[in-house]
Amino acid sequence: MSTVVLVHGAAMDGSVWTYQATALADAGFTPIAVDLPGHGGSEGEPSASAKGYAGWLLAYLAFLGEPVHLVGHSMGALVVLEAAAARPDLVRSVTMIGVSDRMPVNPDLLAAVAEGDVSFFATMGSWMHAREPIGTPAWTVADTVRILQSAAPGVAAADLTACNDYPGAATVASQVSRPILLILGEQDLMTKPSAAQPIADAAPDATTVLIEGAGHLIPVECPDAVNEAILTFLEKADDGLV
């Protein structure tokens, strides 16, 4: 089976893919949850642009030496989209989770993290979760805040700048020849589902799945629904059905 490279969002790390990595491995895929430069256990400096991170990702994909499925959440979705547009020969498909055409950041949040105010991460963490979740997710707001607060100095500011300054995903999606899956959270306050429609409209081959009861951090809020959507899509992509 194919390799699947998973790319986390702003100020997070590869641990957010715990549920997806397990499901992918159980289904026979080879999952690789990367830590972007400066995040988690990865050395290097964070980038203030999605294209900057995409350059790092492409170097890693070239090292792997085989076309892979790319899965990205939030900022990571922009990164995998840029990588697929630049080097389609290294990519089988693209899954974008919790994303929108433009991703402006709340000015107060942007100013707070630029000043190194980590106390604001509690508010950011709450924004990332559904107000009325379905069921009782094992991953809590406290888990999210813990990762945000453990990020190295400057990481959150760089990542949120990368999101805020991104000119638009729809234009890039129109250049991607590989199939695209959009997974959106019905209660997402940070990247509202309606704001992702331009991406779906622009992409030559796009499928959209809306997850009820999910906020922005969909992979850990509703892992079963996300896993089902990803596995269905990847299996079709490998069979040439999407």
Side-chain angles (χ1 to χ4, degrees), residues 217-239:
L217 205 56
I218 317 172
V220 296
E221 290 185 288
C222 297
D224 292 341
V226 170
N227 294 346
E228 180 181 0
I230 292 175
L231 290 173
T232 299
F233 175 71
L234 296 188
E235 287 166 359
K236 289 182 177 179
D238 275 348
D239 291 339

Side-chain angles (χ1 to χ4, degrees), residues 3 45 53 57 78 83-84 118 142 151 179 202 216 226:
T3 297
E45 295 296 321
Y53 283 130
L57 179 61
L78 305 179
V118 297
H216 184 63
V226 170

Side-chain angles (χ1 to χ4, degrees), residues 15-239:
S15 66
V16 298
W17 298 112
T18 297
Y19 302 115
Q20 286 68 50
T22 299
L24 287 164
D26 288 346
F29 290 94
T30 301
I32 302 174
V34 299
D35 286 340
L36 290 172
H39 299 69
S42 185
E43 297 181 353
E45 295 296 321
S47 175
S49 74
K51 280 192 175 183
Y53 283 130
W56 176 90
L57 179 61
L58 287 172
Y60 182 71
L61 298 186
F63 170 77
L64 292 179
E66 61 171 315
V68 305
H69 297 289
L70 291 177
V71 179
H73 171 252
S74 192
M75 181 190 75
L78 305 179
V79 174
V80 300
L81 183 69
E82 287 285 346
R87 289 289 306 272
D89 57 305
L90 297 177
V91 179
R92 291 178 179 269
S93 72
V94 178
T95 297
M96 305 174 70
I97 305 175
V99 69
S100 56
D101 178 36
R102 296 291 306 279
M103 294 178 60
V105 177
N106 180 283
D108 292 336
L109 174 59
L110 200 59
V113 297
E115 295 173 1
D117 181 5
V118 297
S119 67
F120 214 89
F121 287 146
T123 301
M124 181 177 171
S126 67
W127 287 346
M128 294 172 74
H129 287 256
R131 293 290 187 265
E132 299 177 358
I134 293 177
T136 306
W139 186 292
T140 67
V141 174
D143 295 318
T144 299
V145 174
R146 175 180 51 79
I147 293 180
L148 292 171
Q149 293 180 334
S150 68
V155 166
D159 290 358
L160 294 180
T161 297
C163 293
N164 190 66
D165 293 352
Y166 194 71
T171 300
V172 182
S174 69
Q175 305 166 13
V176 175
S177 58
R178 299 296 183 254
I180 293 176
L181 172 64
L182 296 169
I183 301 179
L184 311 173
E186 172 250 337
Q187 296 184 40
D188 191 340
L189 298 177
M190 301 184 83
T191 51
K192 295 183 178 181
S194 59
Q197 190 60 45
I199 303 173
D201 291 341
D205 182 0
T207 302
T208 300
V209 173
L210 183 67
I211 306 295
E212 293 186 9
H216 184 63
L217 205 56
I218 317 172
V220 296
E221 290 185 288
C222 297
D224 292 341
V226 170
N227 294 346
E228 180 181 0
I230 292 175
L231 290 173
T232 299
F233 175 71
L234 296 188
E235 287 166 359
K236 289 182 177 179
D238 275 348
D239 291 339

